[in-house]
Amino acid sequence: MSRRQNNLEALSFQIVMTVIAVLALILIVSPSLVVVIVSFTSGFSLKFPPPGYSTRWYVELWNAWQLQFAARNSVVVALWSTGLSVVLGVAAALAISRSKTLTAKLLDSLFMSPLVLPALAFGLAALMFFSLIGLPVSLLTLVIGHTIVCVPYVVRNTVAALAQLEPTLLESSAILGASRLYTFRRIVLPLIRPGIISGAFIAFMSSFDNVPVSLFLRDAATDMLPIRMWQDLEGKLDVTIAALSSVLIIATVALMAIMERTTGLSKRLTG
Amino acid sequence: MKSATTAPGDVTSFSLGLALPLGLAFAIFFVLPLAQLFYLSLHNDTAATVWGLGQYIKFLTDPFSLAVLGSTLLLGAEVTLACLVLGYPIAWLYQRSGSRVQTLIIMIVLLPLLTSVVVRTFAWIVILGRQGIINSVLQSLGLIGTPLRMIYTQGGLIAALAQVQMPLMVLPLITAIGRIDPNLSDASASLGAGSWRTFVKVMLPLSMPGIIAGCTLTYAAAITAFITQSLVGGGQMLFMPMYLYQQASTLQNWPFAAAISIIFLFAVLAIVALFSTLGRRARGYGDAR
């Protein structure tokens, strides 16, 4: 094969790969952009491009008390679930990460299993279980259900952070006379903090966005935002939802930027 | 590293007892409910008094139920393939870019992962709808007279699911491609193999662990994506999650819903097991070189 042919061949490969990659990236971003643009429409439909621009649907959103009520519930449940996930998950991660025993391995698989199992099956199972033990659906049952499906993110990220911790640091600290608690507070915790924070961040987002568990464990008094939005969209295509969606997209981008600054989220997720 | 065991006085490890609170929580609120679900599915009547395999027989002999299961598994395969074809070049581009572009790519890929799934799905309703972008562009170009029906179609659903699940494919691929020794591609090139040949013979096999991991995550997510399936797929197409929800919530047929859950659960576990077996083979293949 001549050099010229070889160059052409290499070029064709690079062009094809780059074009697909760029198209795929556009495919990923464009839906979010479209929602933000359409939320500023002056019309009554989701027509794109919008006939004119206004902020009327944001005013509408300001008065949509049902959506606000659901949003408040979602935030409350996400905060409690994240808090519980961090306390239980970090303790469990400490226990299993440095142990090579079979028990530790089995516990690890158990704690990770909610990520693989269809969450809808767990949602139904949890509903049946709570009705069997006579616990009516409430914010409490939602927090319990969400914690089970969110805690794996905290465990996984904390275990990953602990794996990078040098055991010699702990030994040196002990040799210098520090108690185990002191070593934990002053050496271990600061070093694994970014891992815990990024795990907590993902746990919070996935609780806030949870559908399969909330679907079964909420009722009218404990309405959750994703379910409320879904039911609104099933009925009619409301532009208020576009305004709410664009608020959520912008909030997510802002949170991501903060997380990237503080914990280097992107490097953490790509290993 | 002998010090990694839990010997008394060992300061580098922590007591296994720290896992007790979470272990108990999982035993009560995760294992028990799933056991109860399984128990209920083994009853023939809704009051759960008559033991039997009636619910499973009902599902496995009903052509309608089997068609729902089949179309769900097929949907997962189509979405996974779409994600792989579109996601691999993204991971490839990532590994060849400078660090600024890398951060940008990661942020773009992460955005849908962290945005609410209802929001992402809603975006596709706006795009695919009668007055959506695609229809207005095609109409203004004069290519079509009346709006095309794209929402509530299999094609529209696959596009939406592929976009929604793309991060789950791209992230493991980026990790896997990053671990490939770049000298291998150079060696292949200097031995006379062209770029395409090097890609097929060197890069693809070596990134197989990432491909398998990405496919597992994407597949499991695509077949359980309740919201996207119901909003973009519409009432015409029925998949396992909605089928389960209808039986449980609307019809209150808990034993049958439980059986559907168990069958669905095992279908997902079988797929995951299949992928991880493939993954082990692929890893052995990679190590052997």
Side-chain angles (χ1 to χ4, degrees):
Chain A
M1 207 187 284
S2 75
R3 174 170 284 256
R4 195 188 164 82
Q5 249 178 328
N6 229 337
N7 282 344
L8 264 178
E9 203 255 359
L11 200 65
S12 77
F13 174 75
Q14 291 186 355
I15 288 175
V16 169
M17 291 294 268
T18 310
V19 165
I20 297 178
V22 171
L23 284 179
L25 287 170
I26 292 173
L27 179 79
I28 294 177
V29 178
S30 54
S32 305
L33 290 180
V34 167
V35 168
V36 175
I37 294 169
V38 101
S39 71
F40 286 102
T41 186
S42 58
F44 281 95
S45 69
L46 298 168
K47 190 171 167 43
F48 195 94
Y53 294 92
S54 79
T55 51
R56 62 187 292 187
W57 297 105
Y58 288 86
V59 178
E60 204 68 27
L61 182 62
W62 187 254
N63 299 319
W65 65 269
Q66 274 189 316
L67 287 172
Q68 288 174 14
F69 172 69
R72 247 193 313 275
N73 281 335
S74 281
V75 170
V76 168
V77 169
L79 284 175
W80 274 102
S81 312
T82 307
L84 276 173
S85 294
V86 168
V87 173
L88 296 171
V90 171
L94 285 170
I96 59 179
S97 71
R98 299 211 157 256
S99 168
K100 298 263 190 298
T101 57
L102 183 65
T103 321
K105 285 212 180 85
L106 287 177
L107 282 175
D108 188 36
S109 314
L110 176 67
F111 297 152
M112 288 301 131
S113 55
L115 291 182
V116 192
L117 298 178
L120 214 60
F122 169 66
L124 175 64
L127 172 67
M128 290 173 178
F129 178 73
F130 287 131
S131 79
L132 180 80
I133 62 172
L135 203 58
V137 291
S138 62
L139 289 183
L140 173 69
T141 56
L142 279 163
V143 168
I144 296 173
H146 279 208
T147 304
I148 296 290
V149 293
C150 294
V151 82
Y153 298 108
V154 176
V155 174
R156 194 172 58 182
N157 279 279
T158 311
V159 165
L162 279 166
Q164 295 181 344
L165 190 71
E166 284 288 331
T168 45
L169 280 176
L170 305 182
E171 282 166 357
S172 321
S173 177
I175 289 166
L176 293 171
S179 74
R180 301 212 58 178
L181 191 65
Y182 188 83
T183 306
F184 176 74
R185 268 183 33 228
R186 300 301 296 266
I187 311 275
V188 180
L189 205 52
L191 286 173
I192 63 172
R193 187 173 290 137
I196 298 176
I197 294 175
S198 44
F201 173 61
I202 299 174
F204 180 87
M205 298 306 274
S206 74
S207 165
F208 188 76
D209 186 32
N210 184 286
V211 170
V213 176
S214 302
L215 198 58
F216 288 105
L217 295 183
R218 54 110 236 176
D219 60 11
T222 57
D223 212 355
M224 300 294 278
L225 191 62
I227 311 284
R228 177 81 262 145
M229 288 173 78
W230 170 60
Q231 286 177 341
D232 282 1
L233 288 175
E234 286 269 272
K236 58 187 185 333
L237 290 179
D238 190 343
V239 190
T240 319
I241 300 288
L244 174 59
S245 296
S246 96
V247 168
L248 290 177
I249 290 170
I250 290 161
T252 308
V253 172
L255 275 176
M256 271 172 66
I258 294 172
M259 291 306 293
E260 181 64 23
R261 280 283 156 99
T262 54
T263 70
L265 186 69
S266 62
K267 292 282 170 273
R268 212 158 276 285
L269 287 172
T270 52
Chain B
M1 278 230 299
K2 288 224 164 62
S3 62
T5 52
T6 48
D10 177 6
V11 291
T12 61
S13 66
F14 299 90
S15 157
L16 210 51
L18 282 171
L20 196 66
L22 187 60
L24 274 179
F26 262 67
I28 299 170
F29 297 115
F30 184 68
V31 178
L32 267 184
L34 288 176
Q36 193 205 349
L37 185 79
F38 185 57
Y39 169 84
L40 200 61
S41 74
L42 293 173
H43 289 82
N44 290 348
D45 58 330
T46 42
T49 48
V50 187
W51 285 84
L53 290 171
Q55 308 295 349
Y56 291 94
I57 294 167
K58 183 173 151 196
F59 187 98
L60 296 171
T61 55
D62 174 25
F64 178 76
S65 301
L66 288 176
V68 173
L69 178 61
S71 59
T72 309
L73 298 180
L74 181 66
L75 178 72
E78 289 165 332
V79 172
T80 307
L81 191 66
C83 281
L84 183 60
V85 171
L86 293 173
Y88 202 98
I90 296 182
W92 174 86
L93 187 67
Y94 175 88
Q95 294 299 352
R96 301 175 52 97
S97 306
S99 73
R100 269 170 188 278
V101 180
Q102 282 194 335
T103 309
L104 181 70
I105 293 179
I106 281 293
M107 286 295 145
I108 291 176
V109 170
L110 282 183
L111 179 65
L113 189 68
L114 297 170
T115 330
S116 165
V117 78
V118 189
V119 173
R120 285 181 270 166
T121 303
F122 172 68
W124 280 94
I125 299 176
V126 178
I127 292 173
L128 299 172
R130 289 180 65 83
Q131 296 185 307
I133 307 175
I134 301 180
N135 269 325
S136 41
V137 168
L138 290 179
Q139 271 179 313
S140 63
L141 293 175
L143 290 175
I144 51 167
T146 50
L148 291 177
R149 188 172 150 275
M150 283 173 293
I151 194 166
Y152 310 140
T153 62
Q154 182 92 3
L157 180 57
I158 292 171
L161 277 172
Q163 188 259 343
V164 169
Q165 317 295 358
M166 188 76 80
L168 300 175
M169 178 65 85
V170 176
L171 292 176
L173 281 178
I174 285 178
T175 310
I177 295 178
R179 291 203 179 126
I180 300 176
D181 186 348
N183 291 327
L184 290 173
S185 296
D186 295 345
S188 170
S190 64
L191 290 171
S195 296
W196 287 101
R197 200 171 144 83
T198 303
F199 175 68
V200 173
K201 293 279 180 185
V202 179
M203 265 185 77
L204 271 186
L206 287 176
S207 54
M208 205 46 94
I211 295 177
I212 304 275
C215 287
T216 313
L217 293 172
T218 316
Y219 193 92
I223 63 175
T224 53
F226 179 81
I227 292 284
T228 315
Q229 288 171 2
S230 91
L231 286 178
V232 183
Q236 302 292 317
M237 284 175 271
L238 186 61
F239 299 102
M240 288 294 273
M242 191 57 170
Y243 192 37
L244 193 170
Y245 178 67
Q246 284 177 349
Q247 293 295 326
S249 268
T250 321
L251 303 172
Q252 293 283 324
N253 190 351
W254 283 13
F256 190 51
I260 295 175
S261 309
I262 300 288
I263 290 169
F264 190 40
L265 213 143
F266 275 98
V268 173
L269 286 181
I271 303 281
V272 170
L274 177 74
F275 277 127
S276 72
T277 313
L278 288 174
R280 259 196 300 280
R281 289 238 178 117
R283 215 163 296 144
Y285 184 52
D287 289 343
R289 326 208 108 203

